[in-house]
Amino acid sequence: MERYGEILQLLSAIAPLLWLCYALIFRVTKPHIACLISLLITIFGSIYVWRTPCSTIVWSVIDGGISSLYPIIWTIFSALFTYRLICEINAIEGIKRSLSVISNNRLTQAFIVAFCFGALLEGIAGFGTSVIIPSAILLSLGFPPYQSAMISLISNTVPVVYAAVGVPVMALARVTGMPLKALSGIIGLQLFPVTLIVPFFIKEMLKISADTSLILGTGLVFALTQSLVGWYIGPELPAILAPFVTISFLIVYTRLKEEGRGIKNISREDFKSWLPYGLIVISILLTRLNSNISSLLSRHPFSFSFVIESLNKTVKIDYIYTPGTLIMISAITGGLILKAKLADYKRALLGAFAQILPTLSIITSMIIMANLMSYAGMTKLLAIKLVRVFGTLYPFISPLVGAIGTFLGGSDTTSNILFGKLQTEAGKNIGASPLWLAGANASGATGGKLISLQNLTLAVSGINKRGEEGKLMRLIFPYFLLYLAIMGLIIYTGSRFIH
C-alpha cells in the first residue's frame, strides 16, 4: 500500500509538468492558459494526494503572488516601458545608426549588432527584442536571411540569464532561497567559458576568415565584464555593462586595425539617444556600490517586511532600491531630457501594460506552482528520483533540465521558477553545492533559448521568413547540442571541486 502511495505522489508531482510539456509543444492552448491549468493540477495534487494543510496552500498562493509582482513583474514592466518610450520618441533609430557606422567588417558588424546590441536589448528589456531587432538590422546590412537569424539566436544565449535587469536571477533566488549576489557571481563563473566560445560560433556561421585576436578579444572582454559585474555588483548590470565595454573594445580595435577607415562620426543626436539607458546604469551603480545609499533605501520608510508564519518565511519589499523603480525613474527622466511628450509616455505605458498581461499570468502561476511543489514535498521527491537514475553524473545533465525549462516556457525566468528548487534538492542528495546546481539551471537555460519556439518564431519574423521555424531549428540544433555539452562538462567539473 505504501508503494502505491509513493507512485501516486510521483504521478501527482509529474502531472503538472507533463501537462505543460504537452500544452506548449503541441500548442493546444495559449501559454498563460496552460500555466494556469498546470497550477490547478498542482493545487489538486497538493490537497488530495499530498494532504498539504489549507493554510500552507493559501499562504503559498499569496507569497507567490507578491513575489511575482514585486520585484519581478515590476522590473519587467519598467524595462518594457523604457524600451517602448525610446521607440515612441524615435531614439531607437539613433541607437541603431550609432551602431551601424562603427565598421564595414562583416564579423565586427555581427559582434556589434547581435552579440553586443542584442545583449543590451536583453539586459534592458528582453521579451524577444534581442532576437527580432538584431535579425532585422543584420538583414538590412546585407547579411543572408538565415545567417542573420542564426547569429542573433546564438548571441541570445549567454546574456539571457541577466535579462530585464537581472529578473531570471532574482526569480531563482526567490524560489531557492539562495543569496542573490552569490547566485549572480556563480552563474557568471559558469558562463565564462561559453562566453569565450560564442564569438567563434558566430565566425563559423559567417564562414569567413578572421583575425583570431578580434574573436578572442571580443569574447574575453564580454566574459570578464559580465563575470566581474555579476560577482561584485549583482545581476542587474552584467548584460548592460558587458555590451557597452565590448563595443568600446571593438571601436578601439577597429580604429587601430583599420586605421580609422571603418569608423564614421556618430552624431550628437544619435549619441543622446542612449541617455535613458545611461541613467539606468548610473542609478543602479550608485545604489549598489555606495553602502550608505544602499543602507538608506533598504530600511524604513523605503522598505517594509512581514512574516508568513505558516511558511516560516519573512517577505521584504523595497520601494526604491528595487531595479524596477530605478529603471522607471531613469526612463521618465531620460524621456523628459529627450523632450518626450505626454502622449509618448501614455502610449509607452499602455503598450507595456498590454504586453505584460500574459507574462503576469505565466510568471505568477509558475511561482505559485513552484511554491506549492516545494512546500508539499513534490520537488524533493522528483529530485530524489532524478538522482537515483543519474547518480553522481547528475550535474552533467543539470544544464539540460534548465534548457528544457526554457524550451517549454520560452524564458530563463520560467525555467528557474520551474526547476530551480529541484536542482538545489538534487544537489543536497548527491553532496554537491546547492548554489552551484541552482546556477547550473540558469546557465543551462541560456542554451534552451536556441531551440525555444518563441525565439525561433521571432527570428524568422525578423528575416521575413514566417513559417520557417522548422528549417531554422534544423540549422541551429547542432550548435545547441555542442553548447549544452560544454555546459554539462563545466557544471560536472565544477561540482567535483565546489561544495
Side-chain angles (χ1 to χ4, degrees):
M1 194 70 181
E2 188 178 330
R3 185 164 174 267
Y4 289 119
E6 187 178 334
I7 291 170
L8 189 60
Q9 285 184 332
L10 183 60
L11 289 173
S12 69
I14 295 173
L17 302 177
L18 288 178
W19 157 254
L20 210 54
C21 290
Y22 171 71
L24 295 177
I25 291 172
F26 296 102
R27 302 188 181 190
V28 297
T29 186
K30 292 180 179 179
H32 62 282
I33 301 296
C35 291
L36 282 171
I37 294 172
S38 192
L39 172 59
L40 292 174
I41 295 170
T42 307
I43 292 173
F44 182 87
S46 299
I47 295 171
Y48 294 105
V49 179
W50 290 85
R51 305 296 180 186
T52 308
C54 285
S55 60
T56 302
I57 292 173
V58 170
W59 281 109
S60 291
V61 171
I62 293 170
D63 177 48
I66 293 169
S67 297
S68 67
L69 289 171
Y70 214 85
I72 298 170
I73 294 295
W74 173 231
T75 302
I76 296 171
F77 179 79
S78 298
L80 287 174
F81 170 77
T82 305
Y83 176 72
R84 284 185 167 271
L85 181 63
I86 281 174
C87 291
E88 290 294 338
I89 60 178
N90 218 31
I92 191 68
E93 296 304 320
I95 291 172
K96 289 179 185 178
R97 283 194 298 271
S98 66
L99 291 170
S100 62
V101 300
I102 294 174
S103 175
N104 293 321
N105 179 282
R106 272 284 186 256
L107 186 59
T108 305
Q109 288 177 336
F111 286 161
I112 290 169
V113 173
F115 190 57
C116 295
F117 184 50
L120 181 63
L121 287 171
E122 189 68 43
I124 58 183
F127 281 79
T129 54
S130 49
V131 173
I132 193 168
I133 292 175
S135 295
I137 295 175
L138 289 175
L139 190 66
S140 70
L141 290 173
F143 285 73
Y146 287 103
Q147 201 177 74
S148 302
M150 289 173 69
I151 290 169
S152 297
L153 283 171
I154 197 68
S155 299
N156 188 232
T157 49
V158 173
V160 300
V161 74
Y162 298 113
V165 202
V167 164
V169 186
M170 293 178 200
L172 185 60
R174 286 271 177 172
V175 298
T176 61
M178 295 289 166
L180 180 64
K181 202 168 177 181
L183 267 177
S184 176
I186 211 78
I187 291 166
L189 181 64
Q190 291 173 352
L191 288 172
F192 193 96
V194 287
T195 308
L196 293 176
I197 295 167
V198 167
F200 285 94
F201 283 166
I202 294 173
K203 182 257 181 188
E204 176 62 27
M205 289 172 178
L206 284 170
K207 301 188 186 305
I208 58 173
S209 58
D211 190 343
T212 305
S213 62
L214 169 64
I215 305 169
L216 191 59
T218 301
L220 189 60
V221 170
F222 196 104
L224 276 172
T225 308
Q226 179 171 264
S227 298
L228 291 172
V229 173
W231 193 275
Y232 290 106
I233 298 175
E236 298 92 350
L237 291 178
I240 295 176
L241 287 181
F244 273 126
V245 175
T246 308
I247 288 172
S248 301
F249 161 77
L250 287 167
I251 290 172
V252 173
Y253 183 94
T254 301
R255 186 175 292 276
L256 292 174
K257 285 289 183 178
E258 300 180 18
E259 298 178 351
R261 291 191 301 273
I263 300 177
K264 300 174 186 176
N265 291 327
I266 299 172
S267 72
R268 187 178 176 184
E269 285 302 308
D270 288 348
F271 189 74
K272 278 175 65 179
S273 301
W274 292 92
L275 183 61
Y277 296 134
L279 291 175
I280 289 172
V281 171
I282 291 167
S283 65
I284 292 176
L285 281 175
L286 281 174
T287 54
R288 268 52 182 175
L289 296 181
N290 189 307
S291 58
N292 292 326
I293 295 175
S294 175
S295 176
L296 175 67
L297 298 179
S298 297
R299 62 174 187 260
H300 185 77
F302 303 109
S303 172
F304 85 94
S305 60
F306 60 92
V307 177
I308 300 177
E309 292 184 4
S310 295
L311 306 180
N312 192 27
K313 180 178 181 180
T314 300
V315 177
K316 185 184 179 188
I317 295 177
D318 299 312
Y319 307 127
I320 309 296
Y321 188 73
T322 187
T325 304
L326 297 175
I327 295 167
M328 185 60 74
I329 293 170
S330 300
I332 292 170
T333 306
L336 288 172
I337 296 171
L338 293 175
K339 299 178 181 177
K341 298 181 177 68
L342 187 61
D344 296 324
Y345 284 108
K346 184 180 177 181
R347 284 193 295 270
L349 199 66
L350 292 174
F353 184 74
Q355 189 173 351
I356 207 170
L357 281 178
T359 304
L360 170 64
S361 175
I362 290 169
I363 290 179
T364 304
S365 299
M366 290 297 95
I367 288 184
I368 294 171
M369 180 176 140
N371 271 2
L372 287 170
M373 290 183 72
S374 176
Y375 289 119
M378 299 182 200
T379 305
K380 188 172 184 177
L381 178 64
L382 288 175
I384 290 169
K385 296 301 180 184
L386 276 172
V387 168
R388 193 171 292 171
V389 172
F390 294 101
T392 54
L393 288 175
Y394 177 79
F396 181 79
I397 66 107
S398 61
L400 175 62
V401 175
I404 290 170
T406 307
F407 174 72
L408 292 174
S411 75
D412 202 305
T413 304
T414 306
S415 178
N416 289 341
I417 294 167
L418 269 176
F419 299 127
K421 188 67 177 176
L422 184 147
Q423 300 271 26
T424 59
E425 290 292 341
K428 292 173 187 174
N429 275 279
I430 60 171
S433 164
L435 180 68
W436 183 255
L437 284 189
N441 193 85
S443 298
T446 63
K449 293 291 281 185
L450 286 170
I451 57 167
S452 161
L453 294 175
Q454 175 184 304
N455 253 23
L456 292 169
T457 301
L458 289 166
V460 295
S461 297
I463 59 171
N464 300 316
K465 297 284 185 182
R466 288 176 177 82
E468 294 294 330
E469 290 90 343
K471 181 176 179 179
L472 185 57
M473 168 79 91
R474 290 191 294 274
L475 290 169
I476 204 71
F477 199 74
Y479 293 95
F480 164 72
L481 292 177
L482 184 56
Y483 186 99
L484 217 59
I486 294 167
M487 277 308 317
L489 288 171
I490 292 166
I491 301 304
Y492 178 76
T493 305
S495 71
R496 312 296 291 178
F497 301 100
I498 298 174
H499 296 284

